[in-house]
Amino acid sequence: LRSTLNAIRAELGQVAFDKMLDALPPSDFRDAALAGRVLAASWYPIRVNRDLYAAIAKVAPNERNIPRRISARSAEDDMRGIYSYIARLLSAETLAGIAPRILSTYFRGPVVTTEHVEPRAATIHFAGFRGFDNDLWDGTLCGCETIMRMAGHKNVQSERKSLSRLEHALVRFTWTV
């Protein structure tokens, strides 16, 4: 979540960022964020992401596409350095095949399975994403799209079909080279 906080600050500016932190509900995460002690290796419940988006909506109600903007910037931050170099060496099909491993660094508990990979398309099943809402799905899928773009793939798009409420989804990714 540290890269997410950095992305929020960059998107909203420092003043709105500070107001957003103040608008968060009382929690260990809020205390850590206010003190600047959110660690990259720390795990926080999904609720924290929902709280962040809700707080942003309170302090910056006219901002549009916030989940996508924040996730794109955060993914770019996460993929700097050696990771971006490695990603450029991999085909989109290979990236889709290892998506479960990549996503497991962001989420504990949910299961991600690559169902089908073909030239310029992949279908990935996301299961057990309890607490997800449309903002979290938009952000997560935008992060996946951003990583594929950073790997050099063009026109990356995702289409989500929710299965059984919002905690399960089948997502089809497409791209060009």
Side-chain angles (χ1 to χ4, degrees):
L1 277 174
R2 187 170 63 185
S3 64
T4 299
L5 290 174
N6 291 338
I8 293 169
R9 182 183 294 111
E11 288 292 327
L12 299 181
Q14 188 65 48
V15 172
F17 177 79
D18 290 341
K19 289 179 183 177
M20 183 270 312
L21 288 179
D22 289 337
L24 288 171
S27 68
D28 291 341
F29 173 79
R30 180 179 185 266
D31 295 342
L34 286 168
R37 293 189 326 253
V38 174
L39 304 175
S42 297
W43 287 94
Y44 297 96
I46 291 297
R47 168 186 45 77
V48 169
N49 292 59
R50 284 195 325 266
D51 291 346
L52 286 169
Y53 291 138
I56 292 168
K58 285 180 188 173
V59 302
N62 296 324
E63 291 290 334
R64 298 289 175 246
N65 297 317
I66 278 291
R68 292 188 65 80
R69 289 171 34 206
I70 290 169
S71 293
R73 192 179 286 259
S74 181
E76 289 168 359
D77 187 46
D78 288 346
M79 291 296 291
R80 277 194 305 214
I82 189 69
Y83 295 116
S84 66
Y85 176 75
I86 292 169
R88 282 190 297 259
L89 295 175
L90 302 174
S91 70
E93 292 81 6
T94 301
L95 280 172
I98 64 172
R101 202 168 337 158
I102 294 169
L103 288 165
S104 71
T105 64
Y106 292 94
F107 303 106
R108 279 192 183 161
V111 176
V112 179
T113 309
T114 302
E115 299 285 324
H116 182 73
V117 178
E118 59 190 81
R120 294 179 296 286
T123 302
I124 299 177
H125 183 222
F126 295 78
F129 281 73
R130 286 180 185 81
F132 259 51
D133 59 13
N134 287 319
D135 284 343
L136 289 173
W137 278 116
D138 286 348
T140 298
L141 298 181
C142 180
C144 295
E145 293 168 10
T146 299
I147 291 169
M148 291 184 74
R149 280 189 204 96
M150 290 180 73
H153 306 293
K154 310 275 188 255
N155 304 312
V156 180
Q157 296 181 348
S158 62
E159 182 181 347
R160 173 177 55 99
K161 177 182 172 186
S162 289
L163 311 168
S164 171
R165 295 169 284 156
L166 287 174
E167 66 185 57
H168 302 287
L170 202 57
V171 180
R172 180 159 173 84
F173 290 92
T174 57
W175 59 87
T176 59
V177 269

